[in-house]
Amino acid sequence: MTIGGSMLLIIVPLMAAALTVLLRRSGTVSALLAIIVPLGLAVIALRFPLDEPQAILGRIVVLETGDRIAIAFLFMTASAIFLSVWRSSPGWAYYPVGLAILSLLAGALIIRPPLNEVYPSFVYSALFIAIASVLCVFPLQGGAPGRTSGVTRFIIVMSLALPALLLADWALGRLTQSPDSPDLTQATILLVAVSFTLLLAIFPFHTWVPAVSREAPPLSTAFALNILLGAVVILLLDVLNGVRLVGGDPRMLELLRGAGLIMVGLGAVLAWTQIDLGRLLAYGALADMGAILFAIGLASPAGLAAAFIMLIVRALSTGLMAMGMMLARERYGGDSFAKLRGLIWRLPWASLAIIAGGLSLAGLPP
């Protein structure tokens, strides 16, 4: 096997992660490496042909045309978060763990089944996302051992998603062999829906999001909401596009639209009742995810384009708000509205970031 082409998107972040461990005594060099490597790989994914398939462990590694922008989005977002985290001295482990997560998520999206398989198995994708979720615990913990509620809920839900994804993959294989079985089609749709309900923190499995957002460093929360869940949304699109018996079924589309509407309503109502910025960010992000699911459920080019644009805007919105929250927590020791009185006079830039990010997350300007 030669290392090149799309394999670079998996191997290079791992090599950069190893280098940041070796250079852990030099925080500036590690940070620069973590910022530059994902940004460079994003440019390579967009501008250079990486669509030549390569074989690894019985699978095909290929960056298809439709995934170029998605991969570039994940890597650019990670680079921006690493740049924003730099000033907060996150600890030497933050950058290697973040780069390793990027490598795993890239593998989850570009490792495909062999060409002779007739259905798009995503066993490797499920395993890579599960490992990436475990690694996410470290930045979410943020060096504060006493804060465990949100991280515990997060890892429980993500652990439950792995067997659900493996069962869904098995059902897809059976469905490909017996495409005329209505019972098997219904069971497959149900398993796929349950899998992504767990992964995307859809009601009632959303409780880890506000808990993590309240306890974890704000930019680590933004990393999980945009990098990890962004990759899961892209994987969902790949599954729906690759298995027409599922993606084109009206029941699956109705489930997506129904889940989207529930999340929009739930997020909007609960966001309105919060008294701190952490939970406000969480419920705003949940409502935004609902809008993305509803757009995907429309199954139209305009809906898919809107969903991807919302992913990009979501990254900008949550990133801005998280930056402002980080500065506010450093100055005030918390982000409850009662503590933040006078914030706009003492930290005007932080206030501007929170206001701009919050309004953008809410859809203003449209």
Side-chain angles (χ1 to χ4, degrees), residues 38 57 76 126 162 171 186 268 307 353 359:
L57 300 176
M76 286 181 177
L162 178 59
Q186 185 173 352
L359 289 177

Side-chain angles (χ1 to χ4, degrees), residues 7-50:
M7 279 295 296
L8 292 173
L9 301 174
I10 301 174
I11 299 298
V12 173
L14 282 179
M15 295 173 61
L19 279 175
T20 56
V21 172
L22 295 175
L23 299 170
R24 61 185 179 274
R25 295 185 182 276
S26 178
T28 300
V29 176
S30 297
L32 286 174
L33 193 64
I35 294 163
I36 292 170
V37 167
L39 186 60
L41 289 174
V43 173
I44 289 172
L46 288 173
R47 297 188 61 85
F48 293 91
L50 300 177

Side-chain angles (χ1 to χ4, degrees), residues 241-322:
N241 184 59
V243 189
R244 294 295 183 184
L245 292 172
V246 174
D249 194 293
R251 291 170 293 184
M252 186 67 193
L253 301 178
E254 287 174 6
L255 284 173
L256 285 170
R257 293 194 295 269
L261 288 174
I262 290 172
M263 294 301 291
V264 168
L266 179 74
V269 171
L270 292 178
W272 185 69
T273 64
Q274 300 311 307
I275 58 172
D276 61 78
L277 290 176
R279 287 178 175 271
L280 185 65
L281 170 65
Y283 287 116
L286 288 174
D288 195 65
M289 180 59 72
I292 290 170
L293 291 175
F294 186 85
I296 293 172
L298 296 176
S300 67
L304 295 177
F308 193 75
I309 290 171
M310 280 189 280
L311 275 177
I312 297 173
V313 175
R314 169 192 175 91
L316 293 171
S317 305
T318 55
L320 270 176
M321 197 169 175

Side-chain angles (χ1 to χ4, degrees), residues 80-159:
I81 290 176
F82 291 150
L83 176 61
S84 303
V85 166
W86 187 0
R87 75 167 301 278
S88 66
S89 302
W92 70 268
Y94 191 95
Y95 298 120
V97 169
L99 289 166
I101 291 171
L102 271 183
S103 173
L104 288 164
L105 295 179
L109 297 178
I110 67 177
I111 294 180
R112 309 288 182 179
L115 298 177
N116 58 354
E117 286 194 14
V118 293
Y119 81 101
S121 170
F122 50 87
V123 170
Y124 277 64
S125 299
L127 293 175
F128 285 174
I129 286 176
I131 298 171
S133 301
V134 173
L135 290 179
C136 255
V137 168
F138 295 97
L140 290 177
Q141 193 69 27
R147 299 176 179 176
T148 59
S149 173
V151 172
T152 302
R153 295 181 194 180
F154 167 78
I155 202 62
I156 288 173
V157 171
M158 290 299 178
S159 299

